[in-house]
Amino acid sequence: MKVLLLENIHPVAVEVLEARGFEVELRAGSLSEEELLEALPGVQLLGIRSNTHITRAVLDGAPDLLAIGCFCIGTNQVDLVSAADRGIAVFNAPFSNTRSVVELVIGEIIALARRLTEKTHKMHDGVWDKSANGSHEVRGRTLGIVGYGNIGTQLSNLAEALGLRVIFFDTADRLAHGNAQRMRTLDELLAKADVVSLHVDGRPGNAGFFGEEQFAKMKPRSIFINAARGMVVDNESLRDHILSGHIAGAALDVFPVEPKAQGDEFQSVLRGLPNVILTPHVGGSTQEAQEEIGYFVAGKLAGFSLEGRTELSVNLPAVLAPAHVAGHRIGFLHINVPGVLAGVNGVLADAGANVTGQYLSTRAEQGYVVTDTLDPLPADALAKLTESEHTIWLRTWDA
């Protein structure tokens, strides 16, 4: 099988995949829709990060594609519904770089509270500005976390260790860590927080989530951080509130439009502002995180294509099947209607199959069943399953 990895994915992913027998092509930058349409025929597995967008048109032009690995946390760059309709599994790394993102945010909170960006710029310009004006300790101040998922909760733990009081808001029912307190509304959080840090996902409904109304409700001279998604924030409004002095400082690692390749010019209305930290989407870009992501996602891609395992897939039914070490395995992805599983087991029984294990799950309009048998099924039995009106795909593996 052929694998295409884009956007400087860590070399450990290549090692993992080549060790499992895959042919791997590694490219440095992202590809446009047109470039993807040229590159994907003949490719079974695709690895991307956040800057390559997989649209319905791309999927229509990739008849050989079995799975997509997002070597990052987010998956909003992939049309997940269209991928699921085609039976293409999508995997990501929801936990591997959380610590790296959290450490960046902690560093930014301290740097902004101490106005280190302005101090270092003046020093580079030869100006000795030894003043405590506008500089504060973070101890005793209130951090408001918007989005209390994997990153938000870990940020909560480290922030408390530094002496920050933590409050949070999330639309989901989340368990508070340590002494953190849930706020009933976003407005309640904005009124109390000295620092607001966004950690929401990239679902379409979050576009423009934080704009003029929200910035106006933040405490005077508070700090704003966005290490979530660029499309979530109205940067024009943020610029206005920084220039007016209402917001004392900001740090952003993500932007609505980001350069495609290393060295391309970065454009933003926030360039050149004092006490503003701009970083090129490097929240998860530590050697430790990228190595762990490379190992994790490459393993998921290999497990799916070689053994039919879909655990932690973000768009197909997640079946946690054991490693395939003996016998014959059948993976059957189908439309989720009553009677399909009974039909599958009827075919197995008629074929006299000795079933050694069966694992199944459903998700929305799809069902997935993995069946292990002692011996391969006869061709006519496989044909019955393949030709069913409910079949999306059927694959077999021999140990």
Side-chain angles (χ1 to χ4, degrees), residues 222-293:
S222 55
I223 289 170
F224 176 78
I225 295 175
N226 182 19
R229 299 289 185 273
M231 44 76 86
V232 168
V233 176
D234 178 358
N235 287 342
E236 294 276 359
S237 296
L238 174 57
R239 175 184 170 85
D240 291 342
H241 282 270
I242 291 172
L243 290 176
S244 72
H246 177 68
I247 303 298
L252 294 95
D253 186 50
V254 289
F255 305 90
V257 178
E258 298 181 357
K260 281 185 59 179
Q262 190 85 349
D264 287 357
E265 184 178 4
F266 164 67
Q267 296 286 351
S268 173
V269 297
L270 301 174
R271 283 175 51 181
L273 296 181
N275 211 31
V276 173
I277 300 173
L278 304 176
T279 50
H281 206 147
V282 293
S285 294
T286 60
Q287 289 297 311
E288 294 85 356
Q290 291 306 306
E291 181 173 357
E292 177 59 29
I293 289 170

Side-chain angles (χ1 to χ4, degrees), residues 29 37 68 87 91 116 120 134 166 184 301 303 364 398:
L37 289 171
I68 300 167
F91 299 94
L116 296 184
T120 190
V166 177
R184 292 171 296 175
L301 291 173
D398 290 308

Side-chain angles (χ1 to χ4, degrees), residues 129-287:
D129 180 22
K130 189 176 184 295
S131 167
N133 185 40
S135 296
H136 300 277
E137 293 183 354
V138 298
R139 180 181 55 174
R141 295 170 76 81
T142 299
L143 168 63
I145 301 173
V146 182
Y148 206 64
N150 297 326
I151 294 176
T153 50
Q154 192 167 160
L155 174 60
S156 178
N157 296 333
L158 289 188
E160 278 202 342
L162 287 173
L164 283 148
R165 174 175 176 257
V166 177
I167 58 178
F168 70 92
F169 171 75
D170 199 305
T171 56
D173 190 13
R174 305 285 191 182
L175 176 68
H177 286 214
N179 295 314
Q181 293 183 325
R182 171 189 287 277
M183 299 291 102
R184 292 171 296 175
T185 65
L186 177 60
D187 288 353
E188 184 181 6
L189 179 143
L190 298 178
K192 295 181 178 181
D194 299 302
V195 181
V196 174
S197 189
L198 299 190
H199 300 285
V200 300
D201 61 33
R203 70 187 68 179
N206 282 338
F209 164 75
F210 209 98
E212 170 60 33
E213 179 182 353
Q214 288 71 37
F215 286 119
K217 291 177 179 178
M218 288 176 62
K219 289 176 65 173
R221 305 302 295 165
S222 55
I223 289 170
F224 176 78
I225 295 175
N226 182 19
R229 299 289 185 273
M231 44 76 86
V232 168
V233 176
D234 178 358
N235 287 342
E236 294 276 359
S237 296
L238 174 57
R239 175 184 170 85
D240 291 342
H241 282 270
I242 291 172
L243 290 176
S244 72
H246 177 68
I247 303 298
L252 294 95
D253 186 50
V254 289
F255 305 90
V257 178
E258 298 181 357
K260 281 185 59 179
Q262 190 85 349
D264 287 357
E265 184 178 4
F266 164 67
Q267 296 286 351
S268 173
V269 297
L270 301 174
R271 283 175 51 181
L273 296 181
N275 211 31
V276 173
I277 300 173
L278 304 176
T279 50
H281 206 147
V282 293
S285 294
T286 60
Q287 289 297 311

Side-chain angles (χ1 to χ4, degrees), residues 11-12 34 41 60 78 84 96-97 115 123 153 221 295 302:
V12 74
E34 183 178 339
D60 285 341
V78 179
S96 300
N97 66 358
R115 305 191 73 82
M123 290 291 283
T153 50
R221 305 302 295 165
Y295 181 83

